[in-house]
Amino acid sequence: MSSGGKRQVVGAVRRAFAPWNDPAATPLIRYESVTKAFGDFTAVNDVSLDIYEREFFTLLGPSGCGKTTLMRMLAGFDPPTKGRVTLAGKDIAGQPPHRLPVNMMFQSYALFPHMNVRRNVGFGLEMEGVKGGELDRRVDEMLALVKLEKFAHRKPDQLSGGQRQRVALARALAKKPKVLLLDEPLGALDKKLREETQYELMDLQVKLGMTFVIVTHDQDEAMAMSDRIAIMDTGRIVQVAAPGELYEQPSCRYVASFLGDVNLLECAVVQAADGQIELAATTPGVRLRVQDDRSFARDQTVWLAVRPEKVTIAHADSVAPGAAISNQIAGKIWDVGYLGDWTTYLVEVAPDTLMRVACANLSRFVERPISWEDPVVLSFAPAAGVLLTR
C-alpha cells in the first residue's frame, strides 16, 4: 500500500510539471546554436535546446546521431566548436569537468574492482576532501537511497548487474550535482530488470528534485521515463516534445518511423474542406478520409501515418458489401506474430506493400483465428492517423 501511495505522489508531481509551456520559465540548461566537429566530421550540427530544472530529459536516436557528444559537451569533456552551452545562466566554456555542478554516470559503470561498495560510493566525496563522520553520513544516505546497505562491504564482482548499476548511480548522486547525466544507464541489464529500474529511476528523480539528462537508443525506455524527448538524426534535433505528443503527433516521417511501429501510406490530396481531407492512396483503388484542420493543395503529396494498434482487422467475408466502415483496405495475411499480450499481423494490401496491425489478446480463446493467407479487410477511424508533409 505504501508503494502505491508513493507512485500516486510521483504521478501527481510529473502530471503537473511542464515548465516548457510557461513563457516566463528560465531554462536550467541551454544549448545555443551549438556545433561540434571532429576534423572533417560534424557530430553535432547547429543545435539549440532548452532543458528545465527538475526535468527528466532524454536524448534519443540511433548510434552515431550525436546524442552522446551533446551530453559530453554539457559535462565539460568536449568544448563546442561553435555556439555555447550555459548552465544556470553561466557559460561553461573553459570550466574543467570536476568544477561543474554536473555528474555523469557512464554506460560501463566504471566501478573500481579493488574497492568495496562503500568505498566506490564515497570515492568522489573523498576526492573533494569530505572526511570522517560527514563522509560516513553521506555514503550511508546514498546506500539507503538505492537500497544497498546490506552490500556495503562487497566488491563489484560479487554483485549482480542491477546492483552494480545502483552502486554507480549512488556514486554519481553522492556529490549532489545540479544535473545528473546518464549515458545508456540500463543497457547492461536484462529486459525485466531494465523495466523495473526505469520506475526506480523515475521515483528517485522526483524524490531528489534533480535534473536528469539521459542518452539512450531504446525507444520504450525513453517513452516510459521522460518528461520530454529530443529525437536526433545526423547531428540535428528533429523534434522535441513529450512522449505522447511525439507518438501521436510526429512532425515528419523520420520521427513517426523511429518511434514505435507505424504504417506510412503515400497519398495525394483529392479535396480538403471543413477539416475533412479526402485522399487517394498510391495503393490502387484505396480512397481514404482523415480529419485535419490544416490547408492542403489539390494533388499535394502527403503521407498518412497510422499506428498498428489503431487499425481494425476482420475476415473479408464478415464485412457486408457497402457497410459504413471508415477507410477500408482489402488485403491478405502475409505473416502472423504472437507476442502473448498482442498479436501482430502483416497484411499484403498490394504487391510488395505490407500494412502492420496489432491486436490485443483480450481472451484466452479465439473462436475464429485469423491466419496465413486469409483475405481480410483493414479499417481505421478518420481521426486515427496524422498527415505528414515531409
Side-chain angles (χ1 to χ4, degrees):
M1 186 66 69
S2 59
S3 61
K6 180 182 178 184
R7 289 302 307 161
Q8 290 174 11
V9 171
V10 170
V13 170
R14 298 196 71 181
R15 203 164 34 240
F17 182 76
W20 50 88
N21 292 329
D22 180 2
T26 301
L28 174 65
I29 300 162
R30 173 162 278 177
Y31 292 85
E32 299 177 6
S33 302
V34 170
T35 294
K36 179 62 181 179
F38 298 95
D40 295 334
F41 174 69
T42 300
V44 173
N45 192 350
D46 193 25
V47 165
S48 293
L49 174 67
D50 291 339
I51 301 173
Y52 293 84
E53 190 170 10
R54 296 189 298 111
E55 186 170 6
F56 201 129
F57 193 92
T58 297
L59 298 167
L60 176 66
S63 298
C65 71
K67 55 189 185 295
T68 297
T69 301
L70 206 60
M71 175 179 279
R72 286 178 59 85
M73 283 191 282
L74 178 57
F77 295 129
D78 294 323
T81 306
K82 295 180 182 178
R84 68 174 192 158
V85 182
T86 64
L87 178 60
K90 297 180 180 179
D91 192 339
I92 68 171
Q95 292 288 325
H98 67 276
R99 295 293 184 191
L100 294 172
V102 173
N103 217 341
M104 188 166 181
M105 177 179 157
F106 296 95
Q107 182 178 3
S108 65
Y109 305 153
L111 301 178
F112 299 109
H114 63 287
M115 294 183 184
N116 62 21
V117 168
R118 187 173 196 86
R119 288 286 313 284
N120 265 286
V121 171
F123 180 79
L125 297 173
E126 290 185 49
M127 293 299 99
E128 288 192 337
V130 181
K131 299 177 181 179
E134 176 64 10
L135 177 62
D136 289 338
R137 184 190 66 78
R138 290 176 64 174
V139 170
D140 287 340
E141 180 184 10
M142 287 301 105
L143 291 176
L145 191 66
V146 297
K147 303 174 184 176
L148 286 176
E149 303 99 311
K150 296 180 180 179
F151 302 90
H153 299 291
R154 290 193 186 183
K155 299 286 183 65
D157 62 0
Q158 297 172 311
L159 303 174
S160 69
Q163 289 164 343
R164 287 195 294 272
Q165 186 262 359
R166 282 188 276 166
V167 174
L169 181 61
R171 184 177 62 185
L173 292 171
K175 294 172 64 176
K176 297 184 178 177
K178 191 178 289 289
V179 180
L180 180 64
L181 308 178
L182 303 106
D183 185 8
E184 302 278 5
L186 310 182
L189 307 182
D190 63 66
K191 184 176 186 298
K192 186 175 179 61
L193 184 57
R194 189 163 64 243
E195 291 173 352
E196 292 173 355
T197 308
Q198 289 170 12
Y199 290 99
E200 290 178 1
L201 276 177
M202 291 157 56
D203 290 344
L204 196 59
Q205 188 259 345
V206 171
K207 180 179 179 180
L208 295 172
M210 192 180 289
T211 304
F212 279 20
V213 180
I214 184 172
V215 158
T216 184
H217 63 267
D218 188 309
Q219 302 161 25
D220 293 339
E221 189 172 290
M223 292 285 285
M225 295 193 295
S226 311
D227 292 310
R228 286 189 305 158
I229 301 170
I231 294 186
M232 297 190 67
D233 181 36
T234 59
R236 295 182 181 273
I237 290 179
V238 183
Q239 186 177 0
V240 180
E245 182 180 345
L246 284 174
Y247 189 80
E248 301 293 356
Q249 295 292 331
S251 62
C252 60
R253 286 177 286 161
Y254 175 79
V255 174
S257 299
F258 186 80
L259 204 63
D261 293 323
V262 69
N263 297 297
L264 286 170
L265 305 174
E266 186 176 348
C267 304
V269 175
V270 176
Q271 62 178 11
D274 302 323
Q276 297 290 321
I277 315 296
E278 187 176 343
L279 304 169
T282 54
T283 302
V286 175
R287 299 291 283 262
L288 305 169
R289 186 179 296 273
V290 298
Q291 294 179 3
D292 198 305
D293 293 326
R294 293 173 294 171
S295 297
F296 296 91
R298 183 179 176 84
D299 296 326
Q300 179 179 347
T301 298
V302 294
W303 290 265
L304 178 60
V306 186
R307 299 291 182 184
E309 70 275 10
K310 292 176 171 55
V311 181
T312 300
I313 187 169
H315 283 96
D317 60 10
S318 69
V319 179
I325 300 176
S326 298
N327 298 326
Q328 291 189 41
I329 304 176
K332 182 174 66 174
I333 298 295
W334 187 78
D335 207 352
V336 181
Y338 177 75
L339 304 177
D341 49 353
W342 291 86
T343 295
T344 299
Y345 298 97
L346 292 179
V347 181
E348 187 178 42
V349 297
D352 301 319
T353 303
L354 299 175
M355 283 188 65
R356 184 182 296 267
V357 184
C359 299
N361 295 322
L362 302 178
S363 63
R364 292 181 57 207
F365 303 101
V366 181
E367 293 182 2
R368 188 184 177 193
I370 297 174
S371 191
W372 287 266
E373 303 295 328
D374 284 357
V376 294
V377 172
L378 310 182
S379 61
F380 53 91
V386 59
L387 285 181
L388 306 173
T389 58
R390 57 188 179 97

